[in-house]
C-alpha cells in the first residue's frame, strides 16, 4: 500500500494556491479598456514594435476599397484603427482564458493518454506491463475531473466569458461569417456541451469498471479469472469507442479554435501527443515511486520497455506533425496554409522549438539501449518531452486566441501550477487507495519476472 | 600450422547446453566455439562474449546517408540549377527543406540498413560460395555442439563434459 505523504500533499496544495494566485492575477490584469489598449499600442509603435506597421496594414485594404469616396478616407482609417484596437483588446482579454485552457487540457490529456495505453496493455495481454497497472490506474483517476474542467472552461468561455477561446460561440461573429454559418450544424454550444458530456461519460465509465474489475480480480478466488476476462472485453470495446471520440474531441476542443481551418489527421496528431505524454508520466511516476521503495517488483527492464515506448511514440508524433505540416506547406492552398503562416510568423521559437524538444532530443537521448535503463536519463528526457508537449498544445490554442500577444508568463505558469498541483493530488490520492501490485492479474507472474 | 586437438561435446537440448556452458566456464576452460541449429537466448552472455557494436555502425551509416541526401539535393536543387518548379522556394536549402525530408529519411534508412547488413556479412565472413564450416551436419537440425581446445587435460575435460549431460564426447584433430 502506498501512503500519500504529508509532504507531497502540502506540496500539491502549495502548487494549487500559487497557481490560483497566478491565474487570478492573469484575469485581473487582462481587462484593459479601449483607451488603455490604444495607449499601449501607441507606445509600442514608438518603440518601433511591429504593431505600428500592423495598424497601417489593417488600414490599407479599407482605404483602397473605399477609395472613391474621398471624403470618407479619414473616417475609414479611424474605423480601421478602432477595429485594430478592439482586436488587440480582445486578444489581451483572451490570454488568461487560453492559458487556463491549455494547462487544463494538457493535464487532462495525460490522464486520457494513460487510459488508452492501459486499455491497450490489457487488450493486447501484454506480459511486461501488469506491474505498472496500479500506477496507470492512479493516473487515469485524473481523467474525469480533468475532462470536466476542460469542458467547463470551454463552455464558460462562451457563456460567462466573452467568447474568449472559441469565436464560433459568438453569435455576432457567426452572423457575419458564412463559413462558420455553414458549420453551425456541428459548431453550436449546445451540441458542443452534449458531445463533450458523451465523450467524458464513455471514458469515465470505462475507467470506473476497469478499476473495479482490476481490484475485484485481486480479491477473487485463486483460479477465478472472470474479472480478467471482463476487463479484457471492456478494454477492447473502449478502444473502439475511444478512437472515434478522441478524434471528435480533438475537432471540438482544439481544432474549432480555428473554425475556418480543418485537417484530416488532426485527431491522430492530438492522440500521439496525449499518448506520448501519458507514457512519459507513467515512466516518471514509476521512477519516483521506485526511488521511494514502493515498487520493488519493477526493475530496469520495465523501465527499458516504457522508455522504448517514449522513444517510438515521440517519433510517431513527429511523423504526424511533419505529415500535417508538409502536406499543407507543399500544396500551399490559402485556406489551409494560414494556420501555419500565423504560427511560423508569430510563434517561430515555440513552433520549431517543440520539434527539437519532442523529436531531436528524445531521438538522440533514448536511442541507446543502455541509456533507456538509466533513471536519470529517462527522467531528463521525460521532462523535456512533457515541456515539449505542453508547448505543442500551446501552439494549437494560442495563435487562434491571443495571436502575436503571446508570452509564457504568470497566467501560463500559474495555470500549469494549478492543474499540476491538482493532478498530483488526485493521482497520489487514488494511488493510496489500492495495493500497488495488481496481484490477481493472470499475467502478473510473467510481468514480475520480466527481463529483457 | 600444427594440428591441435579439440573436444566436441554434443548435446540435444538447449537448456542442458546452457548449464553445461556455465559449468565449463566455472571450471575456467576456454570454449572455442558453439554450434547451434537456432539462436539460444542468453548463450552469448553465458559464454562471456563481448556485446555487438553493429548498432553503433548502423547509426554512423545513417548519418552518412543523411549527409549524402543533404549534399546531393543541396547541390542539384539549390546550387547547380535553382529552377522555379511550381513556385517552390529554391533560394536556400532550409526554405525548401520540407520537400527534401522524405528523401533524406529514406536515404538515411537505406544507408543504415544496407551498410549494416554488409558489415554483418564481412565481420561474420559470409558470402556466396563460402565453404561451410560445419563440424557436424546434425548441428543444423537438432544437435548442439561445444568445441573446447585440449592442452594436456584431456581426461579431466572428458569427465567434466560427460557429467554435464553431453550425449557424445569426441576427440577431434583439427588443422588450423
Amino acid at each position: 500500500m502506498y501512503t500519500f505523504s504529508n509532504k507531497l500533499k502540502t506540496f500539491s496544495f502549495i502548487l494549487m494556491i500559487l497557481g490560483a494566485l497566478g491565474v487570478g492575477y492573469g484575469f485581473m490584469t487582462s481587462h484593459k479598456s479601449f483607451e488603455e489598449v490604444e495607449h499601449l499600442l501607441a507606445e509600442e509603435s514608438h518603440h518601433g514594435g511591429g504593431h505600428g506597421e500592423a495598424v497601417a496594414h489593417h488600414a490599407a485594404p479599407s482605404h483602397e476599397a473605399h477609395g472613391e469616396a474621398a471624403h470618407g478616407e479619414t473616417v475609414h482609417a479611424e474605423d480601421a484603427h478602432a477595429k485594430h484596437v478592439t482586436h488587440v483588446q480582445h486578444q489581451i482579454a483572451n490570454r488568461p482564458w487560453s492559458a487556463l485552457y491549455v494547462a487544463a487540457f494538457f493535464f487532462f490529456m495525460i490522464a486520457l493518454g494513460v487510459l488508452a495505453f492501459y486499455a491497450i496493455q490489457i487488450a493486447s495481454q501484454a506480459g511486461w506491463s501488469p506491474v505498472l497497472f496500479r500506477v496507470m490506474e492512479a493516473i487515469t483517476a485524473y481523467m474525469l475531473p480533468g475532462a470536466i474542467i476542460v469542458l467547463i472552461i470551454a463552455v464558460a468561455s462562451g457563456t460567462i466569458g466573452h467568447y474568449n477561446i472559441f469565436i464560433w460561440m459568438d453569435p455576432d461573429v457567426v452572423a457575419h461569417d458564412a463559413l462558420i454559418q455553414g458549420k453551425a450544424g456541428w459548431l453550436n454550444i449546445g451540441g458542443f456541451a452534449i458531445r463533450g458530456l458523451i465523450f467524458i461519460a464513455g471514458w469515465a465509465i470505462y475507467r470506473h469498471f476497469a478499476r473495479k474489475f482490476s481490484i475485484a480480480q485481486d480479491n477473487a478466488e485463486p483460479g477465478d479469472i472472470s474479472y480478467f476476462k471482463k476487463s479484457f472485453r471492456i478494454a477492447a470495446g473502449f478502444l473502439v469507442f475511444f478512437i472515434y471520440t478522441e478524434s471528435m474531441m480533438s475537432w471540438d476542443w482544439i481544432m474549432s479554435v480555428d473554425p475556418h481551418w480543418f485537417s484530416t489527421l488532426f485527431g491522430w496528431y492530438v492522440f500521439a501527443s496525449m499518448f506520448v505524454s501519458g507514457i512519459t508520466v507513467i515512466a516518471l511516476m514509476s521512477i519516483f515511486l521506485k526511488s521511494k521503495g514502493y515498487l520493488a517488483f519493477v526493475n530496469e527492464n520495465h523501465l527499458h520497455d516504457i522508455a522504448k515506448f517514449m522513444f517510438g511514440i515521440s517519433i510517431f508524433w513527429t511523423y504526424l506533425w511533419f505529415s500535417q505540416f508538409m502536406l499543407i506547406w507543399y500544396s500551399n492552398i490559402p485556406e489551409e496554409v494560414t494556420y501555419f503562416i500565423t504560427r511560423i510568423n508569430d510563434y517561430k521559437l515555440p513552433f520549431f522549438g517543440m520539434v527539437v524538444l519532442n523529436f531531436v532530443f528524445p531521438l538522440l537521448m533514448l536511442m541507446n539501449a543502455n541509456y533507456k535503463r538509466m533513471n536519470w536519463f529517462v527522467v531528463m528526457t521525460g521532462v523535456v518531452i512533457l515541456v515539449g508537449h505542453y508547448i505543442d498544445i500551446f501552439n494549437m490554442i494560442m495563435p487562434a486566441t491571443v495571436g502575436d500577444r503571446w508570452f509564457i508568463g504568470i497566467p501560463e505558469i500559474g495555470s500549469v501550477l494549478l492543474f499540476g498541483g491538482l493532478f498530483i493530488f488526485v493521482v497520489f490520492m487514488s494511488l493510496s487507495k489500492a495495493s500497488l501490485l495488481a496481484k490477481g492479474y493472470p499475467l502478473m507472474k510473467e510481468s514480475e519476472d520480466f527481463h529483457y | 600450422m600444427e594440428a591441435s586437438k579439440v573436444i566436441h561435446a554434443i548435446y540435444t537440448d538447449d537448456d542442458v547446453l546452457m548449464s553445461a556452458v556455465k559449468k565449463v566456464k566455472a571450471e575456467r576452460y576456454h570454449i572455442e566455439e558453439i554450434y547451434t541449429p537456432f539462436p539460444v537466448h542468453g548463450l552469448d552472455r553465458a559464454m562471456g562474449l563481448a556485446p555487438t557494436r553493429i548498432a553503433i555502425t548502423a547509426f554512423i551509416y545513417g548519418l552518412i546517408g543523411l549527409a549524402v541526401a543533404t549534399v546531393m539535393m543541396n547541390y542539384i536543387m539549390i546550387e547547380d540549377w535553382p529552377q522555379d518548379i511550381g513556385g517552390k522556394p529554391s533560394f536556400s536549402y532550409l526554405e525548401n527543406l520540407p520537400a527534401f525530408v522524405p528523401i533524406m529519411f529514406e536515404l538515411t534508412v537505406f544507408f543504415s540498413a544496407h551498410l549494416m547488413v554488409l558489415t554483418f556479412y564481412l565481420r561474420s565472413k559470409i558470402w556466396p560460395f563460402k565453404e561451410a564450416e560445419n563440424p557436424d551436419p546434425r548441428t543444423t537440425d537438432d544437435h548442439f555442439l561445444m568445441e573446447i581446445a585440449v592442452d594436456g587435460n584431456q581426461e579431466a575435460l572428458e569427465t567434466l563434459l560427460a557429467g554435464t549431460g553431453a550425449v557424445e564426447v569426441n576427440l577431434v584433430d583439427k588443422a588450423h
Side-chain angles (χ1 to χ4, degrees), chain B residues 9 12-14 17 28-29 34-35 52-53 60 66 78 97 99 107 127 130 134 155-156 159 163 170:
Chain B
T12 51
D13 187 274
D14 49 337
L17 174 75
R28 306 199 144 270
Y29 285 105
I34 293 182
Y35 298 86
T52 173
R53 288 169 297 183
I60 295 168
L66 186 64
I78 309 297
L97 182 71
L107 278 183
W127 54 82
K130 147 116 181 173
N134 202 326
E155 271 179 33
T159 341
N170 307 322

Side-chain angles (χ1 to χ4, degrees), chain A residues 96-122:
Chain A
W97 281 95
S98 311
L100 200 63
Y101 191 68
V102 169
F105 188 88
F106 175 69
F107 284 101
F108 147 73
M109 89 171 180
I110 289 173
L112 186 61
V114 172
L115 191 65
F117 188 74
Y118 176 71
I120 289 172
Q121 297 305 307
I122 290 180

